């Protein structure tokens, strides 16, 4: 088994849709008893992630936590035949991180939520020990619908610390602005963040001739253009050399009503996993009463 610390990143903050509903779009059902956010958590577990990081601001994180909990079983080890099956099961912790206040209304596009999730996963782990820092990141978009069960067969390729992994549909992936899963490394993160910071406008125009400091402000609508960057702008620097690219048999972008309707009307579906793999698991609070688990 690979020793690579693969961290799963699930972006929710700054997700834009045309549903115009009061409930979070990531709670849309994609099958009976199975929501979009549960799909992404299960997908990360199938991919072999050792930790899962959900990027959600404080207004949404408590709702999501009630749905997916604080940890999930690794489905590969959950039903593996053994004499003491329950002792062989592996738990994957789930963490929740909000976008930093300094980035809000400045760089916080949907793609930036991915970059901030990568940074948070690295920072928290590295503060504990450099030996547990993630070496690679698997990004799952809740509103991208495809056969997530096929991820299982690519588990080793996804965890390959040297080469990236991209899911594609008709030859297009995240770099073509499709919310389809992919991986990136820490070096990819640095390049992408540097590119975003270089391309974005800020509050002031560059200093004029003979000026040491900027003095003229940009119009409000032109400031911090990174707020509107699409995936192509954010992830353009991710390395593709020797990357594994898998073309999906079917795919629907369900971040629009039309896409969601087409998915539900199609002959394709994503099977609901066993309840034990999707129900919210929470850690016992200390001190706890006898019998509480």
């Amino acid at each position: 088994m690979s020793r690579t610390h693969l961290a799963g990143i699930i972006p929710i903050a700054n997700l834009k849709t045309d549903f115009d509903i009061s409930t979070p779009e990531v709670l849309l059902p994609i099958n009976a008893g199975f929501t979009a956010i549960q799909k992404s958590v299960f997908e990360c577990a199938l991919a072999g992630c050792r930790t899962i990081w959900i990027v959600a601001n404080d207004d949404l994180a408590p709702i999501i936590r009630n749905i997916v909990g604080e940890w999930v079983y690794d489905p590969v080890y959950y039903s593996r035949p053994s004499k003491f099956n329950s002792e062989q099961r592996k738990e994957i912790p789930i963490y929740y991180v909000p976008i930093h206040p300094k980035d809000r209304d400045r760089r916080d596009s949907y793609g930036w939520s991915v970059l901030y999730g990568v940074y948070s996963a690295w920072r928290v782990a590295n503060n504990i020990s450099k030996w547990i820092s993630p070496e690679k990141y698997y990004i799952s978009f809740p509103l991208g619908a495809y056969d997530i069960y096929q991820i299982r067969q690519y588990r080793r390729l996804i965890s390959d610390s040297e080469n990236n992994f991209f899911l594609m549909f008709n030859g297009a992936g995240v770099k073509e602005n499709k919310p389809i899963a992919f991986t990136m490394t820490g070096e990819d993160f640095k390049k992408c963040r540097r590119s975003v910071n270089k391309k974005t406008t800020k509050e002031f125009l560059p200093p004029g001739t003979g000026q040491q400091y900027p003095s003229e402000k940009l119009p409000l609508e032109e400031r911090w253009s990174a707020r509107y960057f699409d995936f192509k702008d954010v992830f353009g620097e991710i390395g593709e050399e020797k990357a594994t690219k898998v073309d999906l048999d079917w795919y629907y972008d369900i971040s629009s009503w039309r896409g969601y309707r087409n998915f539900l009307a199609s002959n394709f579906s994503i099977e609901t996993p066993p309840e034990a793999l999707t129900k919210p698991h929470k850690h016992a609070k200390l001190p706890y009463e006898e019998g509480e688990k």
Side-chain angles (χ1 to χ4, degrees), residues 153-278:
Q153 63 184 302
Y154 301 112
R155 190 164 168 134
R156 287 187 178 275
L157 289 172
I158 291 171
S159 294
D160 184 344
S161 60
E162 297 183 359
N163 301 315
N164 278 323
F165 180 91
F166 294 87
L167 289 180
M168 315 286 286
F169 183 67
N170 289 338
V174 68
K175 287 192 173 186
E176 289 73 35
N177 292 324
K178 290 189 178 295
I180 309 179
F182 69 100
T183 66
M184 64 190 299
T185 64
E187 286 302 314
D188 291 325
F189 159 75
K190 293 177 184 178
K191 292 177 182 178
C192 290
R193 183 177 64 175
R194 191 179 300 122
S195 174
V196 169
N197 289 335
K198 183 178 180 179
K199 291 187 293 186
T200 185
T201 58
K202 297 185 179 180
E203 187 173 353
F204 288 86
L205 287 166
T209 304
Q211 291 183 322
Q212 184 177 3
Y213 303 105
S215 60
E216 185 177 353
K217 289 187 174 182
L218 282 166
L220 285 173
E221 65 275 8
E222 296 181 19
R223 299 177 191 174
W224 301 106
S225 58
R227 291 177 292 167
Y228 312 109
F229 282 1
D230 56 20
F231 290 164
K232 182 170 59 177
D233 295 321
V234 176
F235 302 122
E237 299 299 320
I238 295 179
E240 294 185 78
E241 185 178 355
K242 297 182 181 179
T244 300
K245 297 184 178 181
V246 175
D247 208 49
L248 297 166
D249 294 329
W250 60 273
Y251 161 80
Y252 291 90
D253 180 356
I254 59 174
S255 63
S256 68
W257 169 245
R258 180 178 181 179
Y260 184 60
R261 181 186 62 186
N262 290 342
F263 167 62
L264 294 180
S266 72
N267 294 324
F268 303 108
S269 64
I270 303 175
E271 182 182 349
T272 302
E275 183 182 3
L277 298 178
T278 59

Side-chain angles (χ1 to χ4, degrees), residues 9-12 24-30 34-44 52-56 60 63-69 94 96 110 140-143 254 278:
I9 308 296
I10 303 176
I12 295 178
E25 293 89 336
V26 294
L27 299 185
L28 288 170
I30 57 175
F34 195 40
T35 63
I37 183 60
Q38 289 173 308
K39 183 272 300 181
S40 274
V41 170
F42 183 67
E43 179 183 359
C44 287
I52 297 174
W53 302 76
I54 298 178
V55 185
L60 189 55
I63 301 173
I64 303 303
R65 189 189 300 268
N66 284 333
I67 301 298
V68 301
I94 301 173
Y96 298 82
Y110 191 40
S140 172
F141 299 100
L143 298 187
I254 59 174
T278 59

